[in-house]
Amino acid sequence: MDLSIVIPLYNEEESLPELAAWIDRVCNAAQIEYEIIFVDDGSTDASWEVINKLVSSNHTIRGIKFRRNYGKSAALNTGFRETKGDVIITMDADLQDSPEEIPELYEMVKEQGFDLVSGWKKRRHDPLGKTLPSKFFNRTTRAISGIKLHDFNCGLKAYRSKVIKNIEVYGEMHRYIPVIAKWAGFKKIGEKVVEHQKRKYGVSKFGMERLIKGYLDLLSITFISKFGKRPMHLFGTLGTMLFFIGFVIGIYLTVAKYFYEVYKMTERPLFYFGLLAMIIGSQLFVTGFLAEMISRNSPDRNAYQVEQKIGF
Ligand code: UDP
Ligand code: MG
């Protein structure tokens, strides 16, 4: 199988037949052997019935239905587990991403050797309330991850199979798949400018809360990939530093009181800074120990990305 197309959807009944027919047309013209995996994320409209019809008329289409709505990341992760293609393309179900991009994305992974190619909606047809926060989001993610992409959250992306088989997407982490892939050691990450349409049917499934969740998820990903297997290195360093600063302040104040000063030590603001630093410092330290105990028990404490083995 050349290509698996994973499409997460939540209440997109109107778009699905059009999308499936369009993908079929494009892939046949480009002579790509493909499969479509629709992941119905607990839709409450007729999406699943529509998928059933599509499956019975086209043997390259498969469908998975969640019992309830778990979110786009969950849908993608589940779809990924089922793919058989050498290349995997994800796209949104709402026809905002154009299937016309498929052949070129496929070619970039297959022929040009990219591990991951992200779409870039350079000309976007979304309201300002969405594009503006998105600029900020992309800039922050670029700075923290060091990956030079313009549009991390683009639903249209292509992957080498081994990338998605070796990473896990959960929560709302679908926005950060390039970051997760990079931490997992996949280096060749590319970008392609893609067409973007206005939403034709239905409504957007994400509101303003995506800003807060997106920000928190970025912090979690960064923390887990850097310190997930050695949390004490972060908490211990911070805790020791803070405690030390507080301790030095305490010594200084004590010495100052007995040798130079007449007024009370507790009347100096520095006293409270010192006290606070020592308390917070020791709390961070203890947090580090707790985190170590938790990570020792976590099932993936020794999950490393093995690229190759030889001579076994
Ligand atoms: N989606 C999903 N589960 C959800 C929310 C969204 O599977 O809980 C799907 C949705 O049906 C669409 C894609 O994720 O195929 C992108 O969602 P949407 O178009 O609403 O996002 P936007 O384009 O507004 O960023
Ligand atoms: Mg959309």
Side-chain angles (χ1 to χ4, degrees):
M1 176 85 54
D2 296 332
L3 173 68
S4 299
I5 302 168
V6 178
I7 305 178
L9 62 116
Y10 179 55
N11 294 345
E12 309 279 5
E13 53 182 2
E14 301 100 329
S15 319
L16 300 177
E18 210 172 314
L19 183 64
W22 195 353
I23 292 174
D24 191 58
R25 204 167 347 117
V26 170
C27 289
N28 286 339
Q31 296 190 329
I32 299 172
E33 191 203 350
Y34 76 99
E35 63 173 354
I36 299 179
I37 300 175
F38 283 115
V39 188
D40 182 339
D41 185 12
S43 296
T44 49
D45 67 355
S47 295
W48 185 242
E49 284 73 52
V50 175
I51 292 170
N52 272 289
K53 266 198 212 108
L54 292 171
V55 171
S56 57
S57 65
N58 184 343
H59 69 281
T60 62
I61 300 180
R62 294 190 281 155
I64 302 170
K65 180 173 168 57
F66 282 166
R67 188 158 288 133
R68 68 168 183 85
N69 178 242
Y70 285 102
K72 189 176 177 183
S73 292
L76 284 174
N77 199 62
T78 305
F80 285 163
R81 298 294 155 262
E82 299 294 336
T83 58
K84 296 195 196 117
D86 306 332
V87 176
I88 285 70
I89 288 184
T90 60
M91 60 194 299
D92 290 354
D94 56 0
L95 293 167
Q96 289 197 273
D97 300 328
S98 163
E100 302 292 338
E101 309 286 354
I102 292 175
E104 207 170 320
L105 284 170
Y106 173 75
E107 198 261 344
M108 283 177 82
V109 175
K110 192 83 178 190
E111 312 291 335
Q112 299 178 29
F114 283 99
D115 291 320
L116 188 167
V117 181
S118 178
W120 173 15
K121 302 171 293 230
K122 201 169 181 179
R123 280 195 57 232
R124 240 183 119 164
H125 301 273
D126 277 325
L128 200 68
K130 213 173 209 174
T131 52
L132 217 59
S134 161
K135 278 222 169 71
F136 169 77
F137 159 83
N138 280 310
R139 187 160 302 182
T140 317
T141 313
R142 260 201 306 277
I144 294 185
S145 69
I147 303 173
K148 300 276 168 280
L149 289 182
H150 290 89
D151 189 2
F152 282 88
N153 197 16
C154 187
L156 186 55
K157 288 192 174 68
Y159 309 86
R160 188 176 300 287
S161 172
K162 67 177 182 208
V163 176
I164 54 118
K165 297 288 184 194
N166 283 297
I167 61 173
E168 202 184 357
V169 195
Y170 61 95
E172 304 250 321
M173 303 288 189
H174 57 267
R175 301 191 181 90
Y176 302 107
I177 300 183
V179 184
I180 299 173
K182 185 189 166 184
W183 291 124
F186 297 102
K187 289 174 221 68
K188 214 165 169 224
I189 297 176
E191 186 168 55
K192 177 187 184 308
V193 175
V194 294
E195 288 288 326
H196 187 240
Q197 259 72 243
K198 258 211 176 70
R199 208 180 224 285
K200 203 163 156 189
Y201 310 103
V203 291
S204 171
K205 308 300 183 297
F206 294 101
M208 266 314 183
E209 82 287 349
R210 80 163 89 199
L211 272 185
I212 302 162
K213 291 184 183 166
Y215 158 75
L216 293 175
D217 280 346
L218 183 59
L219 290 185
S220 305
I221 284 193
T222 312
F223 170 73
I224 288 180
S225 52
K226 282 199 170 154
F227 298 105
K229 293 196 197 319
R230 47 184 189 101
M232 193 56 182
H233 288 186
L234 176 68
F235 292 111
T237 312
L238 285 176
T240 309
M241 260 164 44
L242 260 183
F243 188 89
F244 184 72
I245 292 171
F247 190 73
V248 169
I249 290 175
I251 298 274
Y252 160 75
L253 286 175
T254 311
V255 170
K257 172 168 171 67
Y258 283 110
F259 289 96
Y260 312 108
E261 290 170 5
V262 279
Y263 55 80
K264 282 184 187 152
M265 193 158 129
T266 49
E267 278 167 3
R268 299 190 59 176
L270 199 58
F271 173 75
Y272 295 97
F273 282 123
L275 207 59
L276 202 63
M278 281 197 283
I279 294 172
I280 295 180
S282 37
Q283 298 236 312
L284 280 173
F285 207 86
V286 173
T287 308
F289 274 132
L290 289 177
E292 283 289 338
M293 288 169 75
I294 293 169
S295 88
R296 266 179 79 88
N297 287 315
S298 104
D300 62 5
R301 64 184 178 272
N302 271 322
Y304 307 110
Q305 295 275 341
V306 176
E307 188 169 6
Q308 281 176 10
K309 280 185 179 176
I310 192 165
F312 277 86

